[in-house]
Amino acid sequence: MKSLHDVDIKQLRVFAVVVESGGFTAAEEVLGVSCSTISKAIADLEIRVGETLCRRGRGGFQLTGQGEKLYQLGNRLFSAIGSYVREVDALSATAKRVLRVAAVDNTTPDPNSPLVEGLRRMQAENQELRVDVHIMTPNEITLGLLKGELDIGVSLVHREVAGLRIEHLYAERVAPYVSAQHEALWRQEKLSANDIAGLRLATYTHREPGPLFAVDKNSDFFFCPQIEGVLMLILSGNHVGMLPDFYAQEWVAKGKIKALAIPELCIDSPIVAMSQRESPQVDLVEKLVMTMKRILHER
């Protein structure tokens, strides 16, 4: 690029979302725009750079060597922009420190989560500390951290991400559930993974069915970034869905859903604290992480 303009930064952000999402279609959900709009942005960026950045086809989405380099450079740019904004804010003598925190949905009612108590203790020790809290999908949290728009995220972890520090907090027990409207499965007491092969499957923990359900890839599979979306599909009576046990309890008590006795499908989904390895707010981030770990140890 001969010079950098606002449009370039916007295209780089779109490109980063596509890379982190694993393709154009998955990026639609995060960006809230059509696949054609995303394709045009990437095509314009390729023209601007003068290189092919990625390929799509039967083999799935793949970055080229130049695409990988631009992705890494873009992340460094976003991090620098975030640092610049924070340092400008700090020029004011009266500036208060701000910790930008993101969490996945339904973190608050999760009895295992130490985040709420951790924030309470942090602010009790420092009345000047301001906390900006955002509820996001795991993918949005990862992207926000990479771009320097967040300081710390408490999230599910799907994969290791270069440039991010990941600290394990606890495991969320997740099991398959079915609606009372799904009469065939509702009546059965003993089941195996083979009994749900070919059914519509919904989860917020995995993007592909194989690793979770051990079913063929032709099964109808629905990834929902929010837990409530999975619950809606279960209640429709047309899906088997994975839910955390704490979240499902209310609906089990109402007689609306029940857990399926398929032990091999029950998983402990890791909940982690994610942050940039070289965050300008590293002292606050580390303090919150240590506070949350202390809370978990006290329980």
Side-chain angles (χ1 to χ4, degrees), residues 231-284:
L231 176 63
M232 290 177 65
L233 292 176
I234 295 172
L235 291 174
S236 73
N238 297 315
H239 299 75
V240 173
M242 299 293 289
L243 291 177
D245 288 338
F246 82 87
Y247 182 83
Q249 286 176 1
E250 175 186 352
W251 296 91
V252 171
K254 292 178 180 179
K256 298 291 187 180
I257 64 176
K258 79 168 187 177
L260 295 179
I262 308 178
E264 61 266 38
L265 295 188
C266 296
I267 62 172
D268 290 320
S269 185
I271 304 297
V272 303
M274 306 173 67
S275 60
Q276 286 189 357
R277 293 190 181 279
E278 299 179 1
S279 169
Q281 301 274 53
V282 65
D283 59 326
L284 290 178

Side-chain angles (χ1 to χ4, degrees), residues 85-102:
V85 172
R86 286 190 291 275
E87 289 178 22
V88 169
D89 289 342
L91 291 176
S92 169
T94 59
K96 296 181 180 180
R97 297 197 68 182
V98 179
L99 184 64
R100 300 165 303 168
V101 181

Side-chain angles (χ1 to χ4, degrees), residues 202-203 205-206 208-215 221 242 264-267:
T203 185
T205 60
H206 292 69
E208 299 294 336
L212 182 62
F213 291 100
V215 296
F221 182 79
M242 299 293 289
E264 61 266 38
L265 295 188
C266 296
I267 62 172

Side-chain angles (χ1 to χ4, degrees), residues 31 55 70 113 120 170 173 202 214 237 275 282:
L31 294 169
R55 295 186 176 89
L70 186 66
S113 176
R120 187 196 69 76
Y170 65 97
R173 189 63 172 171
S275 60
V282 65

